Amino acid sequence: MSEPQPTYLSDYRPPAYRVTHTELTFDLDPSATRVKARLHLERHPEHEPGAALELDGEQLTLKAIAIDGQPLDEDEYALTDTGLRVHRVPQRFLLDTEVNIAPEANTALEGLYLSNGMYCTQCEAEGFRRITYYPDRPDVMATFSTTVIGDAVQLPILLSNGNPVERGELPGGRHFVTWDDPHPKPSYLFALVAGDLKKVEDGFTTMSGRDVTLQIWVEEENLDKTDHAMASLKRAMQWDEETYAREYDLDLFMIVAVNDFNMGAMENKGLNIFNSAAVLTHPHTATDAAFQQVEGIVAHEYFHNWSGNRVTCRDWFQLSLKEGFTVFRDQCFSADTNSAPVKRIQDVSFFRTAQFAEDAGPTAHPIRPDHYIEITNFYTLTIYEKGAQVVRMLSNLLGWEAFRRGSDLYFERYDGQAVTIEDFVGCMAEVSGLDLSQFMRWYSQAGTPEIDTQGEYDYAKCEYRLVLRQRTPATPGQPDKLPLHIPLRLGLVGTKSGRDLPLTLDGESLGSDTVIHLREEEQEFVFTDVSEAPVPSLLRGFSAPVKLRFPYGREDLAFLLQHDSDDFNRWDAGQRLAMLALEDLIAAHRNGVEKVMDTRVVEAFRGLLATETDDKAVLAEMLTLPTEAYIAEQQALVDVDAIHAAREFVKQSLAAALRDDFLRLFEENRSDAAYAPEPEQIAQRSLKNVALAYLMAIEDDQGIELARTQFAADHNMTDVRHALTLLVHSSRTDIAEPALKAFGEAWAHDPLVMDQWFSIQVTRPQPDALERVKFLMDHPAFSLKNPNKVRALIGAFAQNRVNFHRLDGAGYRLLADVVITLNQLNPEIAARIITPLTRWQRFEEPRQELMKAELERIRAEELSPNVYEVVEKALA
Ligand code: B3K
Ligand code: ZN
């Protein structure tokens, strides 16, 4: 393989030829599927006559090619590894091609492949070029007509985008269905599914009174696991009508569940294809978190119908245009259907751990990158989650009403077009009159801005002075950064009253909760008429994706934890307080000094446990300590063992000091009610399970017994999995092993439960975790060809802080071995699973050297562009 070359945003040119209509015929066969394509092409008005026709195509065997019915001579076109060029074409013409492809040999799971005997496709971003020769770029939008032919017995169901218009029998036991998709779409939204599938059907009447048939297609044994996805889909359809006035536009909406899938799901027009893990749920097989995730992903893919499909991206540099906006939409939907503060807490906590780490690592990139080698590597937390944070900032800057007008304008003006981030932000500027030019830097500048804040109360003048300084650290390729426009939501909480104080800035009174705009490198804000000394509550609701430092004392944080009117910041104050204690303990561990628990944390927790609360889900979050991964993010250099020891110590100290409170909490929140994935029940279960985790922290007989009983009661997967995890992660092998064995045997037939069984074992802190991974890689339920299995076993192990980072380097070696194998089988997954190794600079010696050595070993292989790009960056 030659060295892969980058693609640059600055090289964008409109396509020379556009496709107005695409006719496809698939004659399905595992080793030789025949794909006939008839493309209706015409030259783009901006292009000179005589431009050659360039089509993308990979791993295709060309059998026939003709223009306007005339077969081409060999000297009239040229074939390369990446496509096909026809030297001379008319202004308007029909191109007919016929190619052969081999779905059964497709382990990359891009293009057309086989999963459990079922044919399916994944075309985003550039998979369609593995199906047929085509201008495989999002700014070419065509209507599609697709005929699928297959064996009538093995493949009774034949699906594609749009509406079925014709079906019939064919000789040799074959049959066909023709589908028509009237909405022009880019090739990345094409989909085909064929297999022995069963459906669950329901309906939805849109706001204009049209009846839409909703279908979820699954393998027969999963028919009982579709209720929640169907209910979520209907809620999402309703929500998008109520919130954005967006209505569905076909008569049929289908979801198909497949076992082998590289990511969560795909928004193909009218035919969403889902990883079975992102759609199937049952109280006995899926946890509350999985139920909520399914709801969010079903909604996300559905919302793409407008933000992505009707209005799509001009090129892949604009990926965040559809992903950032759609994540923002699904986050708001989930906040409206569940506990809004908890949704925010969970999203932010994940963001600050994982996206901040990406921004601080060698693959840091802006929300709109300016070059890439392999676009598949750019489906990142930055594009998705930071992109969503930026849209959220826009919605807050404009206010909901103006933001809605901006989104209406965007959908109306650009319907059926492929557009850019400027087009989107332009609509927001146009409807609001705001100058968003500085704001645009959020899209081009990588890295997490850091804000240093100082605050001072002047008793004599009754003034509170806030000084803010922003700085974005250098990231690869971007040494110098400009100041960003950062909206900071805040309040001042009076230390006497415990209430939000009225805010007056420059003579203007702003209520008790306001947004200030930081635009300069350094800015001062003086609040007047502040009647008592306040503690500032800053960055409420995480109003901007930044790291904010303020020299809070522990009393200040305990105070905010008790009094802040913003639930998110109450939670955050608790996290900051715990972090201060954890930092002391990490230092003590490193210096070999005896660890002493900070009583203020204990008292703060006691306070939380003593107060009545109406949102149990928020309380459960407040009682949860920062994860080891989050703590690691806060350290200059990561000392894995010290972090683990410190966190365990805090957990055990809290458990010992507050044992009776946790026991009471556990008992009060136990319930025998039939399982329902409803917010109140979920909240109650999380609170009970947080309590159980503390009770198990000291591993006394009573804690063990409660976990054992909860596991044995087998009431629902949330409780069973939590109890089993606590047991397996404890030192009580005598109880854990039989439970694990029983669970593994009972669920051997269910791949999604087996994924959980794998993860539970390989995340245990005990030193045998790595040996278990090796052992389980030979388990009949494991396969490196299945991305879910790779994530459940290898991905989960790489999150096992103490064992992945073993000082003998065996954890790193194991991951590198898997990357080397997957580089051949499935480059997309290989380039993802390697991430933890790329963060080597964050660790202390000797770990740095060990990790680097494994990256170098990978680099010596013949690499796919995907892995090549990541490894080169990591070692640069
Ligand atoms: N748009 C898809 C992701 C495609 C990833 C391709 N490697 C799912 C989503 O974001 O909805
Ligand atoms: Zn998406």
Side-chain angles (χ1 to χ4, degrees), residues 646-862:
R647 190 175 185 277
E648 286 302 298
F649 181 81
V650 173
K651 205 165 75 182
Q652 286 164 8
S653 307
L654 288 169
L658 304 169
R659 199 172 174 289
D660 293 344
D661 292 285
F662 285 126
L663 198 54
R664 176 183 49 79
L665 203 61
F666 179 80
E667 293 299 345
E668 279 173 7
N669 289 288
R670 259 173 144 158
S671 161
D672 292 330
Y675 178 91
E678 305 300 340
E680 297 73 33
Q681 265 203 18
I682 293 176
Q684 197 173 333
R685 268 190 293 278
S686 14
L687 198 48
K688 175 196 67 173
N689 282 331
V690 166
L692 183 59
Y694 280 107
L695 292 168
M696 270 289 287
I698 25 186
E699 292 187 22
D700 62 1
D701 288 345
Q702 194 179 9
I704 299 280
E705 187 49 26
L706 290 176
R708 206 194 54 75
T709 315
Q710 179 165 314
F711 173 75
D714 197 16
H715 191 274
N716 60 75
M717 186 53 134
T718 308
D719 286 348
V720 168
R721 179 177 172 167
H722 187 70
L724 182 61
T725 304
L726 291 173
L727 290 170
V728 173
H729 291 202
S730 80
S731 58
R732 291 296 298 273
T733 320
D734 56 324
I735 298 172
E737 281 307 318
L740 201 53
K741 188 161 174 284
F743 186 88
E745 284 168 5
W747 292 103
H749 62 282
D750 190 314
L752 295 179
V753 181
M754 288 310 276
D755 288 346
Q756 305 182 58
W757 185 74
F758 284 132
S759 295
I760 291 169
Q761 309 183 48
V762 300
T763 46
R764 75 197 296 257
Q766 280 70 21
D768 68 346
L770 184 132
E771 283 64 36
R772 280 186 189 240
V773 180
K774 290 191 168 160
F775 178 74
L776 290 169
M777 283 177 78
D778 290 327
H779 191 279
F782 182 78
S783 163
L784 273 177
K785 288 189 178 165
N786 177 271
N788 286 358
K789 294 283 170 283
V790 173
R791 286 184 278 258
L793 193 63
I794 314 297
F797 173 67
Q799 303 301 317
N800 182 330
R801 311 281 313 174
V802 276
N803 287 305
F804 173 64
H805 295 283
R806 263 165 65 149
L807 282 167
D808 63 358
Y812 307 147
R813 208 147 49 236
L814 181 129
L815 181 60
D817 286 339
V818 171
V819 169
I820 289 169
T821 311
L822 280 173
N823 172 57
Q824 309 264 352
L825 288 174
N826 187 330
E828 180 173 347
I829 299 296
R832 263 174 202 279
I833 202 100
I834 198 177
T835 307
L837 283 176
T838 67
R839 307 278 162 80
W840 60 273
Q841 290 174 63
R842 299 280 298 116
F843 294 84
E844 296 189 314
E845 288 299 0
R847 289 182 170 115
Q848 281 208 356
E849 279 312 310
L850 291 166
M851 292 168 103
K852 231 163 69 178
E854 293 306 322
L855 286 169
E856 269 151 12
R857 186 158 70 87
I858 296 169
R859 176 153 72 175
E861 296 284 315
E862 190 153 304

Side-chain angles (χ1 to χ4, degrees), residues 124 263 265-267 300-301 304 322-323 379 384 828:
E124 187 177 358
M263 58 294 152
M266 179 63 212
E267 69 264 25
H300 177 99
E301 304 311 332
H304 268 315
K322 74 177 177 81
E323 295 306 345
Y379 286 75
Y384 275 67
E828 180 173 347

Side-chain angles (χ1 to χ4, degrees), residues 419-714:
V419 302
T420 63
I421 284 169
E422 276 82 6
D423 293 326
F424 177 75
V425 179
C427 287
M428 297 301 165
E430 192 173 319
V431 296
S432 64
L434 288 176
D435 176 2
L436 296 173
S437 45
Q438 186 186 5
F439 188 83
M440 282 303 290
R441 287 179 193 159
W442 279 107
Y443 287 100
S444 55
Q445 215 166 260
T448 306
E450 298 174 0
I451 305 180
D452 274 299
T453 320
Q454 299 288 333
E456 209 185 336
Y457 182 62
D458 185 326
Y459 282 85
K461 293 189 187 154
C462 288
E463 280 179 4
Y464 190 78
R465 210 169 130 263
L466 206 55
V467 179
L468 301 142
R469 258 173 240 100
Q470 63 162 306
R471 183 187 148 265
T472 304
T475 53
Q478 287 191 337
D480 303 308
K481 311 279 182 172
L482 296 166
L484 292 160
H485 176 180
I486 302 174
L488 215 102
R489 218 186 105 210
L490 56 78
L492 297 178
V493 190
T495 42
K496 276 203 202 114
S497 59
R499 295 245 167 81
D500 278 356
L501 304 173
L503 302 171
T504 308
L505 197 59
D506 301 323
E508 197 187 340
S509 90
L510 302 166
S512 61
D513 179 300
T514 197
V515 177
I516 57 172
H517 297 266
L518 177 61
R519 297 167 190 269
E520 314 294 326
E521 222 164 270
E522 181 172 331
Q523 237 169 298
E524 184 185 83
F525 298 86
V526 182
F527 294 93
T528 50
D529 305 316
V530 182
S531 56
E532 50 178 307
V535 179
S537 165
L538 302 165
L539 199 66
R540 280 184 167 169
F542 196 63
S543 62
V546 300
K547 289 183 184 165
L548 184 133
R549 284 187 284 260
F550 182 86
Y552 284 118
R554 294 181 201 222
E555 279 74 18
D556 295 338
L557 293 169
F559 172 80
L560 286 177
L561 176 62
Q562 213 183 345
H563 295 288
D564 204 317
S565 63
D566 182 64
D567 269 339
F568 176 85
N569 267 21
R570 276 189 68 202
W571 166 80
D572 198 36
Q575 298 288 297
R576 285 177 189 257
L577 180 61
M579 272 311 301
L580 292 178
L582 283 160
E583 272 156 19
D584 289 349
L585 292 163
I586 290 168
H589 184 89
R590 289 172 65 84
N591 299 329
V593 179
E594 197 197 339
K595 297 191 188 67
V596 183
M597 181 63 189
D598 183 344
T599 51
R600 281 163 295 197
V601 176
V602 178
E603 290 320 308
F605 269 60
R606 196 191 303 281
L608 285 175
L609 289 163
T611 31
E612 281 288 312
T613 169
D614 40 3
D615 194 338
K616 292 187 174 188
V618 173
L619 180 57
E621 293 297 337
M622 288 182 178
L623 292 172
T624 303
L625 296 172
T627 62
E628 288 179 31
Y630 179 73
I631 303 168
E633 258 327 284
Q634 314 303 307
Q635 311 294 305
L637 270 189
V638 180
D639 180 336
V640 178
D641 310 296
I643 292 173
H644 181 69
R647 190 175 185 277
E648 286 302 298
F649 181 81
V650 173
K651 205 165 75 182
Q652 286 164 8
S653 307
L654 288 169
L658 304 169
R659 199 172 174 289
D660 293 344
D661 292 285
F662 285 126
L663 198 54
R664 176 183 49 79
L665 203 61
F666 179 80
E667 293 299 345
E668 279 173 7
N669 289 288
R670 259 173 144 158
S671 161
D672 292 330
Y675 178 91
E678 305 300 340
E680 297 73 33
Q681 265 203 18
I682 293 176
Q684 197 173 333
R685 268 190 293 278
S686 14
L687 198 48
K688 175 196 67 173
N689 282 331
V690 166
L692 183 59
Y694 280 107
L695 292 168
M696 270 289 287
I698 25 186
E699 292 187 22
D700 62 1
D701 288 345
Q702 194 179 9
I704 299 280
E705 187 49 26
L706 290 176
R708 206 194 54 75
T709 315
Q710 179 165 314
F711 173 75
D714 197 16

